Amino acid sequence: MNTSSDTSHLIEALRTELEAYGTLFRLLEDQRAALLNQNADEIVEVSSSIDSHASLLNNLRKEREDQVADSPLWGGDGSRSLGQFIAQLKHESKPLLEELFGEITRLIRESKRELERNQMLYRRAWDLGQELLRSINPQADFSETYKRDGYSRHASAIQRTGYVKMA
């Protein structure tokens, strides 16, 4: 495979990944709007979309990492990051790759911030719900099935994964 072909495949993989991270950010914004509007059906629907989209993002990232690791342009072992790969690249497409990588990194950072905000809204809604239940029936002993972060207290064997993973 020649250098132009390798870099064009990498550029296309990064563009696809960039588009997918943009979609994730939009989904997180939709989730926040649903939380603020207190629309339970929409919250469940958007959260499900985010979960499936996170799986797609993970697959895209793995494919890109494999492509970088297997590239003949890579002058070392394949265990280095994309940033290191682009830094050592001596091809005319290097500025484009740097910009794509920078925009993906920015979207990841913004998505993490949006996710943290949404989690805060979830926790606050949970706390308000608990306070409401206690005010309605102060004598009842409510057993909390879920922790404040939204995970079940009883399902410790479930492996938790984040929506966003660094490029």
Side-chain angles (χ1 to χ4, degrees):
M1 206 178 266
N2 65 25
T3 303
S4 293
S5 177
D6 280 348
T7 55
S8 66
H9 289 301
L10 182 58
I11 289 169
E12 190 56 38
L14 288 174
R15 283 183 176 152
T16 303
E17 207 170 336
L18 178 62
E19 181 181 342
Y21 277 111
T23 301
L24 175 66
F25 187 75
R26 183 189 48 79
L27 287 171
L28 289 168
E29 287 177 330
D30 292 347
Q31 183 184 50
R32 182 177 177 87
L35 285 164
L36 291 172
N37 293 331
Q38 300 174 1
N39 185 337
D41 292 334
E42 190 177 345
I43 291 169
V44 170
E45 182 181 324
V46 172
S47 295
S48 176
S49 296
I50 289 172
D51 286 340
S52 62
H53 196 73
S55 176
L56 170 70
L57 276 169
N58 193 38
N59 291 338
L60 289 172
R61 181 186 49 80
K62 284 180 181 177
E63 289 174 14
R64 189 243 316 135
E65 286 173 348
D66 291 344
Q67 184 179 357
V68 168
D70 296 340
S71 175
L73 299 173
W74 190 232
D77 62 43
S79 64
R80 295 195 182 129
S81 72
L82 176 62
Q84 292 169 327
F85 176 78
I86 293 172
Q88 67 87 35
L89 195 63
K90 293 174 181 30
H91 190 264
E92 65 268 5
S93 62
K94 183 178 178 177
L96 175 59
L97 289 168
E98 289 171 337
E99 287 300 315
L100 287 169
F101 179 64
E103 187 62 16
I104 288 171
T105 303
R106 186 192 67 77
L107 274 173
I108 289 171
R109 202 172 36 253
E110 292 298 318
S111 294
K112 281 184 177 183
R113 265 192 285 243
E114 192 72 17
L115 179 61
E116 289 169 358
R117 287 184 202 122
N118 291 357
Q119 288 172 339
M120 180 194 63
L121 287 172
Y122 269 127
R123 286 191 297 272
R124 185 64 185 142
W126 172 258
D127 290 343
L128 289 173
Q130 291 297 307
E131 288 176 28
L132 178 65
L133 288 174
R134 284 188 186 92
S135 68
I136 292 172
N137 191 357
Q139 306 299 330
D141 182 27
F142 295 104
S143 62
E144 295 180 4
T145 306
Y146 295 94
K147 294 189 274 186
R148 287 183 53 154
D149 63 0
Y151 293 106
S152 172
R153 292 189 185 278
H154 305 293
S156 62
I158 297 173
Q159 185 178 17
R160 302 172 189 163
T161 58
Y163 291 129
V164 184
K165 187 168 183 170
M166 291 299 289

